[in-house]
């Protein structure tokens, strides 16, 4: 039992890489001293604190080696060791000690991130968000690390995380420049010629502006008339063409920018959807991203009566829907939030969707984890953090021009993106015709 608890409470040493990127398992920790030395360091810290109020202790004998002075690195590693044993409060103290010992940037980043993990475990979400905010702003922590870590799923269901994400999405010189840049890169991949078009809009606008600069004086001379004056109609036509071109090109440039902002908002919304938590029939809490390539979630959102009817009708087609990988996720608007299950420790479940590269054994472990997760998926999953689900659905409704709060259904693809949506509850016969069986799909991929 103790071993299981220790394994479930695996800490987050992955932030000890440069720049906050997630490291491979072989580079997860700072240089780690032996457990015996770690404990002796911890005792030494207590002795240093008690010596201030007690009589001086006799000097150590020459034969006895002096204990090493604690450093930020040793405190971080000791905190990780304590956390792995379930001693969260003691681990939190060590991470705080590390921040007081003039840490290097990489050590401060690791201490702050793991301190945030301790606060999140203790359901102190405000303190966790503040630690992450400092690490993001001052120590180059990548927001993607916070966003993609499946162990922080309970924290990401909190309002504090949503506020942190909104700050990151705004970008600028604060915490979100990296996150904003990543979203823009994804947008450029989806619309690869947008930058080229905007370049030509700017270049042609500049050319039309220069031409207008020389045409206006000619137009004034044409209006004044006299010997040698240019033709009025021709000059006025040239000026109108240049001015009209400038207006059109500026409008196209602004339209491209508006499209990019809309696309970035959609990408962010899809990312938010992938991080929404659900509880499986085995009482395990995961995020939708972990269901990629395993199921096709179908979200039924609306009043309790409508969602109940939709679920009852789906029961008639249960066998065929399961063959198509359908997982029903009911979302009842206005439902009171149930008490959330306290996380059992960081690292107790890893994302089944991410396959580590390189080592064959690690890939095998990931495939095994995905197989176990697939075995846990049943016909229905319950939502965790209803307010986050409702907020996402209402945003999606507004983007599609649907009145917020109306009954809707949303069918997701195997890759987690929205396949299609509709008003009311779905016609299950149509869905059976639309979705191929998973076995047939895999057979086509194999061929």
């Amino acid at each position: 039992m103790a071993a299981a608890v220790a394994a479930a409470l695996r800490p987050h040493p992955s932030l000890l890489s440069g720049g906050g990127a997630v490291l491979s398992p072989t580079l997860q920790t700072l240089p780690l001293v032996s457990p015996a030395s770690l404990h002796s360091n911890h005792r030494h810290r207590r002795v240093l604190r008690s010596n201030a109020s007690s009589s001086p202790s006799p000097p150590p004998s020459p034969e006895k080696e002096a204990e090493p002075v604690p450093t930020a690195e040793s405190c971080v590693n000791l905190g990780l060791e304590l956390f792995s044993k379930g001693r969260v409060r003691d681990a939190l103290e060590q991470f705080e000690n590390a921040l007081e010992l003039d840490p290097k940037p990489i050590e401060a980043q690791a201490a702050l991130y793991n301190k945030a993990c301790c606060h999140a475990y203790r359901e102190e979400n405000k303190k966790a968000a503040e630690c992450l905010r400092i690490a993001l702003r001052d120590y180059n922590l990548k927001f993607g690390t916070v966003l993609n870590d499946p162990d922080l799923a309970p924290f990401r269901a909190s309002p504090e995380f949503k506020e942190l994400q909104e700050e990151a999405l705004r970008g600028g010189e604060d915490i979100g420049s990296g996150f904003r840049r990543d979203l823009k890169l994804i947008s450029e991949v989806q619309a690869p010629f947008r930058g080229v078009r905007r370049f030509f809009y700017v270049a042609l606008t500049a050319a039309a502006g220069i031409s207008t600069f020389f045409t206006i004086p000619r137009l004034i001379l044409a209006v004044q008339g006299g010997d040698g004056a240019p033709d009025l109609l021709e000059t006025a036509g040239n000026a109108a063409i240049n001015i009209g071109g400038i207006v059109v090109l500026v409008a196209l440039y602004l339209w491209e920018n508006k499209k990019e902002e809309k696309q970035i908002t959609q990408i962010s919304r899809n990312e938010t959807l992938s991080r929404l938590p659900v509880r499986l029939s085995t009482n395990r809490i995961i995020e939708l991203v972990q269901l990629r390539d395993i199921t096709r979630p179908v979200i039924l959102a609306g009043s309790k009566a409508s969602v109940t009817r939709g679920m009852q009708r789906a029961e008639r087609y249960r066998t065929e829907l399961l063959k198509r990988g359908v997982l029903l996720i009911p979302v009842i608007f206005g439902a009171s939030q149930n008490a959330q299950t306290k996380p059992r420790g960081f690292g107790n479940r890893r994302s089944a969707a991410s396959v580590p590269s390189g080592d064959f054994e690690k890939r095998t472990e990931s495939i095994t984890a995905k197989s176990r997760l697939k075995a846990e998926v049943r016909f229905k999953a319950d939502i965790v953090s209803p307010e986050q689900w409702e907020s996402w659905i209402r945003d999606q409704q507004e983007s599609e021009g649907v009145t917020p709060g109306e009954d809707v259904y949303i069918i997701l693809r195997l890759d987690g993106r929205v396949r299609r949506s509709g008003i009311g509850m779905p016609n299950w016969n149509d869905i059976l015709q639309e979705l191929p069986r998973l076995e047939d799909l895999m057979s086509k991929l194999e061929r």
Side-chain angles (χ1 to χ4, degrees):
M1 181 67 180
V5 172
L9 292 172
R10 188 178 69 252
H12 290 273
S14 59
L15 267 290
L16 299 174
S17 63
V22 179
L23 293 178
S24 63
T26 59
L27 297 174
Q28 284 186 336
T29 60
L30 292 165
L32 186 63
V33 296
S34 65
S37 300
L38 290 173
H39 290 299
S40 64
N41 287 349
H42 190 45
R43 289 194 298 273
H44 184 62
R45 289 289 296 172
R46 290 201 296 269
V47 170
L48 288 175
R49 289 172 184 163
S50 62
N51 283 346
S53 59
S54 61
S55 60
S57 59
S61 60
E63 297 83 9
K64 188 175 181 180
E65 282 190 26
E67 294 181 347
V69 178
T71 63
E73 177 182 317
S74 65
C75 287
V76 168
N77 286 326
L78 178 55
L80 298 176
E81 180 77 13
L82 293 170
F83 198 94
S84 69
K85 298 177 180 179
R87 297 168 58 183
V88 180
R89 186 174 63 178
D90 294 336
L92 183 59
E93 181 182 352
Q94 289 302 317
F95 297 136
E96 291 172 347
N97 291 342
L99 295 172
E100 297 174 358
L101 294 174
D102 191 23
K104 299 176 183 177
I106 190 174
E107 295 168 345
Q109 183 192 101
L112 284 165
Y113 184 82
N114 287 289
K115 183 182 176 185
C117 291
C118 290
H119 284 307
Y121 177 81
R122 291 156 61 98
E123 297 183 351
E124 298 169 346
N125 291 327
K126 289 185 178 180
K127 293 181 179 180
E130 187 57 32
C131 290
L132 293 173
R133 186 175 283 107
I134 296 172
L136 288 161
R137 183 185 62 225
D138 300 336
Y139 297 102
N140 199 32
L141 173 66
K142 303 302 181 185
F143 192 81
T145 303
V146 183
L147 192 66
N148 293 313
D149 190 346
D151 300 330
L152 284 179
F155 170 70
R156 286 195 294 272
S158 68
E160 288 78 11
F161 171 76
K162 186 176 181 182
E163 180 181 347
L164 194 69
Q165 186 179 29
E166 289 174 353
E167 290 181 40
L169 182 60
R170 287 194 295 269
E173 297 180 357
D174 196 3
I175 70 171
S177 57
F179 184 43
R180 175 77 178 182
R181 183 173 60 251
D182 292 342
L183 293 178
K184 289 179 72 69
L185 287 174
I186 296 173
S187 175
E188 290 175 6
V189 170
Q190 295 182 0
F193 298 107
R194 178 178 289 134
V196 176
R197 291 196 298 269
R198 287 196 293 200
F199 170 79
F200 279 109
Y201 294 156
V202 172
L204 293 175
T205 300
I210 294 172
S211 179
T212 303
F213 177 78
F214 289 104
T215 302
I216 294 299
R218 290 176 55 83
L219 180 61
I220 294 175
L221 292 176
V223 172
Q224 292 176 349
D227 295 337
D231 183 71
L232 178 61
L233 292 178
E234 180 182 356
T235 306
N238 292 336
I241 291 173
N242 289 331
I243 294 173
I246 291 173
V247 172
V248 171
L249 290 170
V250 169
L252 288 173
Y253 183 85
L254 295 176
W255 179 68
E256 287 286 358
N257 286 345
K258 186 176 180 180
K259 280 184 64 178
E260 182 184 45
E261 287 300 320
K262 184 177 180 181
Q263 190 175 35
I264 289 176
T265 301
Q266 182 61 45
I267 294 170
S268 177
R269 190 182 300 118
N270 289 339
E271 184 64 30
T272 302
L273 170 64
S274 69
R275 303 301 166 188
L276 291 176
V278 295
R279 181 181 287 107
L280 302 179
S281 58
T282 56
N283 207 34
R284 175 179 172 186
I285 296 177
I286 63 171
E287 295 173 327
L288 286 186
V289 67
Q290 295 174 255
L291 296 175
R292 285 179 180 174
D293 302 325
I294 297 176
T295 66
R296 294 186 177 102
V298 177
I299 303 168
L300 307 179
S303 65
K304 183 176 181 179
S306 299
V307 173
T308 301
R309 284 197 301 270
M311 295 289 294
Q312 290 173 346
R313 291 170 183 168
E315 284 290 341
R316 305 174 191 172
Y317 307 93
R318 183 187 183 102
T319 302
E320 290 299 320
L321 289 174
L322 284 173
K323 291 179 180 179
R324 288 158 176 79
V326 170
L327 176 69
L328 300 182
I329 302 178
V331 180
I332 299 175
F333 291 148
S336 58
Q337 182 178 0
N338 297 324
Q340 294 190 17
T341 303
K342 184 175 181 179
R344 299 175 182 239
F346 301 102
N348 57 334
R349 292 293 187 269
R350 278 288 173 189
S351 172
S354 58
V355 180
S357 60
D359 190 80
F360 174 77
E361 292 183 0
K362 295 185 181 71
R363 289 199 299 269
T364 303
E365 290 175 3
S366 180
I367 294 171
T368 303
K370 180 178 288 189
S371 299
R372 287 199 301 266
L373 177 59
K374 187 174 182 180
E376 293 184 43
V377 174
R378 300 294 186 268
F379 188 52
K380 173 179 170 291
D382 296 321
I383 63 172
V384 179
S385 185
E387 71 281 354
Q388 299 295 320
W389 276 91
E390 290 187 34
S391 175
W392 181 86
I393 291 173
R394 292 178 190 278
D395 288 345
Q396 183 72 11
Q397 288 175 326
E398 290 179 359
S399 69
E400 298 293 336
V402 178
T403 304
E406 194 168 355
D407 296 344
V408 293
Y409 67 91
I410 303 169
I411 305 175
L412 305 185
R413 301 175 184 269
L414 284 172
D415 62 5
R417 294 181 298 163
V418 175
R419 184 186 186 97
R420 71 176 179 89
S421 58
I423 299 175
M425 292 296 107
N427 184 321
W428 298 110
N429 276 321
D430 293 343
I431 290 180
L432 292 177
Q433 296 296 324
E434 175 184 347
L435 300 179
R437 296 184 179 185
L438 291 181
E439 295 178 357
D440 297 341
L441 181 62
M442 295 306 297
S443 297
K444 290 180 180 179
L445 292 175
E446 289 173 354
R447 287 197 295 266

